[in-house]
């Protein structure tokens, strides 16, 4: 149960991209905004400047579709993981926190790969690779792995960065082809760490 009394009827709400975990924005909800968010599955805030409920995207169409929510240990802050439709910030930026780059771009790349699998286009490299089959995808991962080792031992830092990027990209494609995700790998690594 959320404690709305602690903050004079309002609680802070942090919104994260449900896939990349990038923090998109911070807003406030009263009890009515919270109920509307739960019912409609679109993030609705209480606007302190407009003094009314405000559904993110009601004017721009850039809604935040709720995927899950979590209440903190003191029951006075909400974390919402959402799927953004378009940019979140009124400035046109993906996030209201103007970060230099998306530190979780690997998760964004996984989303792009998944999208290319689900909605293939002829010009897509991922689609062309997928059409060649699992053996070719796995072979590309092997080739890129060898090229990464060679770059680490005998080439420049830039070469290593490029080859490692190719390796990770092709590994994400291979995981998708096998029906696996980076989340599965992360959970496995976390369990090994314990």
């Amino acid at each position: 149960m959320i404690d709305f009394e602690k903050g004079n009827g309002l609680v802070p709400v942090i919104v994260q991209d449900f896939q990349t975990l990038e923090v998109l924005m911070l807003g406030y909800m009263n009890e009515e905004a919270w109920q509307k968010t739960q019912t409609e599955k679109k993030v609705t805030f209480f606007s302190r400047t407009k003094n009314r409920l405000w559904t993110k995207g009601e004017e721009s169409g850039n809604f935040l579709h709720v995927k899950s929510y979590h209440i903190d240990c003191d029951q006075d802050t909400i974390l919402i993981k959402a799927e953004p439709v378009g940019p979140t910030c009124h400035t046109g930026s993906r996030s209201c926190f103007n970060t230099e780059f998306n530190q979780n771009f690997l998760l964004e790349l996984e989303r792009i790969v998944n999208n290319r699998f689900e909605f293939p286009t002829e010009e897509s490299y991922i689609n062309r690779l997928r059409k060649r089959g699992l053996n070719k995808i796995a072979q590309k991962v092997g080739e890129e792995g060898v090229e990464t080792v060679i770059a680490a031992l005998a080439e420049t830092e830039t070469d290593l960065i490029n080859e490692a990027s190719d390796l990770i990209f092709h590994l994400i494609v291979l995981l998708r082809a096998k029906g696996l995700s980076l989340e599965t790998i992360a959970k496995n690594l976390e369990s090994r760490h314990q």
Side-chain angles (χ1 to χ4, degrees):
M1 181 154 191
I2 300 170
D3 186 353
F4 288 99
E5 295 307 311
K6 229 184 252 185
N8 295 321
L10 296 177
V11 296
V13 180
I14 302 161
V15 182
Q16 271 185 314
D17 184 299
F18 84 107
Q19 276 192 309
T20 68
L21 306 180
E22 181 180 15
V23 175
L24 300 175
M25 70 177 296
L26 169 74
Y28 293 88
M29 286 185 186
N30 62 9
E31 205 161 348
E32 186 180 1
W34 173 238
Q35 293 304 322
K36 185 173 181 186
T37 296
Q38 288 183 299
T39 302
E40 297 182 3
K41 303 296 186 215
K42 291 179 184 172
V43 178
T44 298
F45 297 104
F46 179 81
S47 171
R48 295 170 300 163
T49 54
K50 298 174 184 173
N51 198 31
R52 66 171 178 86
L53 295 187
W54 166 67
T55 299
K56 175 68 180 98
E58 66 186 23
E59 293 172 12
S60 66
N62 297 333
F63 294 103
L64 295 167
H65 295 284
V66 176
K67 292 295 187 174
S68 67
Y69 62 85
H70 311 272
I71 300 164
D72 79 332
C73 58
D74 293 325
Q75 287 85 36
D76 62 359
T77 303
I78 303 169
L79 170 65
I80 294 180
K81 293 185 180 180
E83 181 176 13
V85 176
T88 299
C89 186
H90 71 280
T91 65
S93 179
R94 181 171 165 71
S95 167
C96 292
F97 298 93
N98 210 1
T99 54
E100 206 172 293
F101 68 100
N102 181 357
Q103 295 180 32
N104 295 316
F105 183 73
L106 290 180
L107 297 171
E108 178 70 19
L109 179 59
E110 182 179 49
R111 183 189 317 195
I112 292 166
V113 168
N114 287 338
N115 186 271
R116 301 280 163 83
F117 264 76
E118 292 174 27
F119 307 102
T121 60
E122 285 304 314
E123 66 276 3
S124 166
Y125 170 72
I126 294 169
N127 187 46
R128 292 193 307 271
L129 188 60
R130 188 182 66 123
K131 282 183 174 180
R132 295 177 75 185
L134 184 61
N135 286 346
K136 184 59 179 173
I137 297 170
Q139 180 184 342
K140 283 298 291 179
V141 172
E143 290 170 10
E144 298 302 343
V146 169
E147 290 172 9
T148 300
V149 170
I150 292 168
L153 296 175
E155 296 178 5
T156 68
E157 183 178 285
T158 299
D159 293 326
L160 175 58
I161 291 167
N162 286 327
E163 294 301 342
S165 297
D166 289 346
L167 173 60
I168 291 170
F169 168 78
H170 285 92
L171 181 58
I172 290 171
V173 173
L174 177 62
L175 289 171
R176 175 57 173 87
K178 293 295 292 181
L180 297 171
S181 68
L182 289 174
E183 181 181 353
T184 303
I185 303 305
K187 285 179 180 177
N188 185 50
L189 289 169
E190 183 180 39
S191 72
R192 288 182 187 183
H193 179 68
Q194 298 171 1

